């Protein structure tokens, strides 16, 4: 019986596809890791958003900034909106529009049902490689860290504080140390409000304290928290 002849073009296509799949599997993240990306974004937004911006709005801003594509468009599907616990609350979107951070755009027919599309207006965000999938991965990390350790999902102030602490935690030892004023600034709190929120995070923190001489906030996470 004569052996079947496999066309050379088929072989080249198969090998090329296999090589492409291999390269995709071996793709290494570009730039900083998830924690550093989120920490840098929190710092950037703290410097650009008005001081009175609410906690829910800041959590939304983190997601929009990290999920925008190269054209500055961001699509938040219903799953992300549910994780943000926004519900039908339009105030966070309104605050971002008033701050000229973004503009909501009408959804196209057939787009993700219940999701929201917006156009980023903040030109400073375009300098941070917006189209890379690593940034979307960091956005997912931020969603997880905002509710780690049983943080109340219904309280955006607690979720934002938990996220800020996670972004500044040294996970190799399970604790962190940073200026209390910096955490308050990133959360949009006055120092007194930060103290109250930290007290309410007691179930998610093994301990926390503020040094009177330096103003440094120190905290420790319970073992096995993350």
């Amino acid at each position: 019986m004569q052996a079947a002849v496999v066309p050379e073009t088929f072989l080249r296509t198969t090998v090329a596809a296999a090589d492409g799949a291999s390269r995709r599997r071996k793709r290494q993240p570009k730039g900083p890791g998830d924690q550093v990306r989120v920490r840098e974004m929190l710092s950037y937004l703290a410097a650009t958003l008005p001081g009175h911006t609410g906690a829910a709005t800041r959590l939304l801003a983190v997601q929009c900034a990290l999920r925008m594509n190269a054209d500055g468009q961001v699509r938040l599907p219903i799953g992300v909106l549910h994780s943000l616990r926004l519900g039908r609350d339009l105030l966070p979107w309104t605050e971002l529009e008033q701050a000229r951070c973004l503009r909501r755009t009408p959804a196209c027919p057939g787009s993700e049902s219940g999701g929201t599309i917006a156009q980023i207006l903040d030109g400073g965000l375009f300098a941070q490689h917006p189209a890379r999938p690593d940034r979307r991965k960091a956005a997912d990390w931020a969603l997880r860290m905002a509710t780690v350790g049983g943080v109340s999902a219904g309280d955006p102030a607690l979720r934002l504080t938990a996220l800020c602490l996670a972004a500044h935690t040294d996970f190799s030892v399970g604790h962190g140390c940073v200026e209390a004023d910096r955490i308050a600034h990133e959360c949009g709190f006055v120092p007194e409000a930060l103290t109250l929120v930290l007290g309410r995070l007691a179930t998610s923190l093994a301990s926390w304290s503020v040094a009177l001489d330096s103003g440094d906030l120190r905290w420790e996470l319970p073992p096995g928290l993350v």
Side-chain angles (χ1 to χ4, degrees):
M1 180 181 296
Q2 185 177 5
V5 177
V6 179
E8 183 180 353
T9 54
F10 176 81
L11 291 175
R12 286 201 299 268
T13 301
T14 303
V15 171
D19 289 344
S22 177
R23 284 194 295 271
R24 286 193 294 272
R25 285 194 298 270
K26 294 178 181 179
R27 180 187 178 280
Q28 297 297 319
K30 298 178 181 179
D34 299 341
Q35 183 184 31
V36 175
R37 284 181 187 275
V38 173
R39 182 166 66 237
E40 291 176 348
M41 189 57 67
L42 287 167
S43 178
Y44 177 83
L45 292 172
T48 56
L49 290 175
H52 62 267
T53 302
T57 304
R58 292 175 187 273
L59 288 168
L60 174 62
V62 169
Q63 292 300 312
C64 290
L66 289 174
R67 294 179 186 275
M68 63 180 266
N69 62 21
D71 297 320
Q73 187 180 75
V74 57
R75 294 172 176 265
L76 292 190
I78 189 63
V80 172
L81 295 175
H82 178 72
S83 297
L84 287 170
R85 302 300 193 276
L86 288 182
R88 297 182 179 275
D89 185 8
L90 298 180
L91 178 60
W93 291 107
T94 302
E95 285 193 326
L96 291 180
E97 288 180 323
Q98 291 176 343
R100 293 199 56 77
C101 182
L102 55 75
R103 180 184 65 250
R104 280 172 292 176
T105 59
C108 298
S111 62
E112 296 138 312
S113 176
T116 301
I117 301 175
Q119 180 66 40
I120 298 296
L121 303 177
D122 183 351
L125 293 174
F126 287 87
Q128 303 182 40
H129 310 290
R132 288 179 176 169
D134 302 317
R135 288 165 56 82
R136 293 190 293 273
K137 184 170 173 287
D140 291 337
W141 185 88
L143 284 177
R144 294 195 305 272
M145 291 299 105
T147 55
V148 72
V151 173
S152 173
D155 191 328
L158 292 183
R159 288 188 285 127
L160 179 59
T161 305
L163 174 59
C164 287
L165 294 181
H168 291 280
T169 295
D170 181 349
F171 285 108
S172 66
V173 293
H175 61 70
C177 176
V178 71
E179 300 91 339
D181 287 346
R182 178 174 179 177
I183 298 296
H185 182 54
E186 290 181 357
C187 293
F189 300 151
V190 297
E192 295 78 8
L194 176 61
T195 300
L196 293 175
V197 173
L198 289 171
R200 294 167 60 197
L201 277 176
T203 57
S204 301
L205 299 174
S207 64
W208 68 272
S209 63
V210 177
L212 296 179
D213 55 343
S214 65
D216 286 343
L217 169 64
R218 301 176 184 273
W219 67 92
E220 183 177 356
L221 302 180
L225 182 61
V226 294

